[in-house]
Amino acid sequence: MKTLAPGSTIGILGGGQLGRMLGVAAAQLGYRCHIYAPNEDSVAAETAAQFTCAQDDDIESLTRFVEGCDVVTFEFENVPVDPLHQIENCAPLHPPIAALDVAQNRIAEKNFARDHGGTTAPFAAVTDRASLDSAIAEIGAPAILKTIRMGYDGKGQSRIKPGDALDAHWEAVAHQPCVAEGFVTFDHEFSVLLVRGQDGEIRFWDTPHNVHEDGILAISTAPAPAEILAQQDAARALAAKMADAMHYVGVLTCEFFATADGPVFNEMAPRVHNSGHWTIEGAITSQFENHIRAICGLPLGDTGLAAKKVEMHNLIGSQADDWQTLLSDGTNGLHLYGKGESRPGRKMGHVTKLHF
């Protein structure tokens, strides 16, 4: 276990709002952040001491970046893995590359969950147009076709209804390798949010109940209703097994469906997560601070609730334009991500409300 003193430099791969909020948490603990991202308009760079704008596969730039950091983490799980293997001995990398290997491949991810005792939706691999026919014949419809790699917030997906002509769905995913998933009948969606330290200690935040609109998280509420809490222990046990198996360090999020037969694993995110943004005001220690604590080898902070109930609402697209009204309620905790253009489906910020 390696403890980094305040004043050390934390490298963050990715330049979005998660990196921005990690940078704020790191600064509060006295650390400097260095952002590495391919886009010049990085909102994370605004909260960092240094910024390198270079492509993910630029080995020369990536090597210089890593050699200037005391530890490296990421705020985006789709960072290309091959370049990381070339620089992994230059500085500690938390979470490990193994977590990216699992999370970047939907089939590997589902098999990994099953291998550790989890239940997933029925699924089948789709590599070409003919195998799409076979997959739907096997798992039935309705189903959802998802690209194996990339894709989030509903992107890279096509919903298949009974009787649909499949050619249009194959076109919708641009003929990319996919997984076809059978639909799951569920009552609620929820997340398990955990942090694992370098010494293997695991702490959980309260389980948030998640509501999605158009494939994008809209609301997270903690504590969750009783139907979710009844399945919490089983879901947490699976998430902890997966974290231990990967020798994970940092915040890990696993998303689940609450069903009549117990929790069904949906997907994991090896990073801080949108469904944990409420922890900034709503928990004793936020997911961002505890991620910094974990990767720097510090003692983990208390993950308990700071109020009886916490609600977080994402601000999507033009919803963020109503910032004056949101601020007129003094109990709102408003977070705007500094993105210049509000577009439909783009996460522009979030607002958190505590109920005492």
Side-chain angles (χ1 to χ4, degrees), residues 15 35 37-46 51-55:
I35 300 296
N39 301 319
E40 291 184 2
D41 57 342
S42 165
V43 296
E46 296 174 1
F51 175 41
T52 293
C53 182
Q55 296 302 309

Side-chain angles (χ1 to χ4, degrees), residues 8-355:
S8 301
T9 296
I10 300 169
I12 300 176
L13 294 166
Q17 65 262 23
L18 298 179
R20 181 186 181 93
M21 289 181 273
L22 283 170
V24 171
Q28 289 176 335
L29 294 175
Y31 294 99
R32 295 166 55 85
C33 283
H34 185 169
I35 300 296
Y36 186 101
N39 301 319
E40 291 184 2
D41 57 342
S42 165
V43 296
E46 296 174 1
T47 66
Q50 293 174 267
F51 175 41
T52 293
C53 182
Q55 296 302 309
D56 294 323
D57 58 356
D58 182 341
I59 299 300
E60 184 177 342
S61 296
L62 193 59
T63 300
R64 283 198 303 269
F65 161 74
V66 173
E67 288 178 342
C69 298
D70 297 293
V71 66
V72 176
T73 190
F74 43 87
E75 59 105 58
F76 180 57
E77 67 267 37
N78 286 316
V79 175
V81 168
D82 289 344
L84 295 183
H85 282 297
Q86 298 184 52
I87 52 87
E88 62 182 323
N89 295 323
C90 299
L93 179 64
H94 299 307
I97 295 176
L100 292 177
D101 283 327
V102 173
Q104 287 183 4
N105 185 310
R106 294 186 191 276
I107 292 178
E109 181 182 53
K110 293 179 185 302
N111 284 328
F112 189 72
R114 286 185 174 185
D115 289 345
H116 290 88
T119 300
T120 71
F123 68 92
V126 176
T127 56
D128 54 30
R129 176 64 184 80
S131 62
L132 176 56
D133 288 332
S134 301
I136 298 305
E138 177 185 342
I139 66 174
I144 185 165
L145 190 63
K146 300 179 180 179
T147 54
I148 288 178
R149 295 187 180 275
M150 304 297 285
Y152 56 93
D153 290 344
K155 301 178 178 70
Q157 301 182 11
S158 187
R159 294 180 179 270
I160 301 172
K161 300 188 293 293
D164 276 359
L166 298 181
D167 285 344
H169 295 287
W170 186 233
E171 291 295 328
V173 295
H175 302 184
Q176 297 181 74
C178 289
V179 59
E181 297 179 11
F183 268 39
V184 173
T185 300
F186 61 91
D187 300 311
H188 301 287
E189 295 178 81
F190 67 96
S191 298
V192 168
L193 304 166
L194 68 81
V195 60
R196 186 177 187 272
Q198 293 183 34
D199 59 358
E201 179 188 2
I202 291 177
R203 295 190 180 188
F204 297 94
W205 282 272
D206 275 62
T207 299
H209 172 211
N210 300 325
V211 176
H212 291 78
E213 296 176 2
D214 298 324
I216 302 174
L217 181 66
I219 304 170
S220 288
T221 307
E227 296 88 346
I228 290 175
L229 295 180
Q231 302 187 15
Q232 176 177 266
D233 287 351
R236 283 181 170 181
L238 173 61
K241 285 181 184 178
M242 293 169 66
D244 286 338
M246 293 183 288
H247 304 288
Y248 198 90
V249 175
V251 171
L252 174 68
T253 306
C254 293
E255 296 181 73
F256 290 87
F257 302 115
T259 78
D261 299 318
V264 172
F265 173 85
N266 182 28
E267 60 186 20
M268 75 176 214
R271 54 170 170 80
V272 290
H273 192 259
N274 194 180
S275 66
H277 288 358
W278 60 269
T279 62
I280 297 174
E281 288 91 3
I284 305 300
T285 310
S286 76
Q287 64 167 345
F288 300 100
E289 180 178 331
N290 257 342
H291 187 81
I292 298 300
R293 286 178 179 236
I295 67 174
C296 291
L298 306 179
L300 300 179
D302 189 341
T303 54
L305 283 176
K308 289 183 179 179
K309 180 181 177 182
V310 185
E311 287 180 73
M312 183 219 70
H313 293 252
N314 264 333
L315 300 175
I316 309 297
S318 62
Q319 292 175 349
D321 297 339
D322 205 23
W323 54 270
Q324 285 183 303
T325 302
L326 292 169
L327 285 175
S328 68
D329 182 342
T331 65
N332 281 339
L334 178 63
H335 299 260
L336 298 177
Y337 304 149
K339 298 179 180 180
E341 181 185 359
S342 61
R343 298 191 302 265
R346 192 181 196 193
K347 294 174 182 174
M348 301 298 293
H350 70 270
V351 61
T352 304
K353 184 179 289 290
L354 307 186
H355 300 269

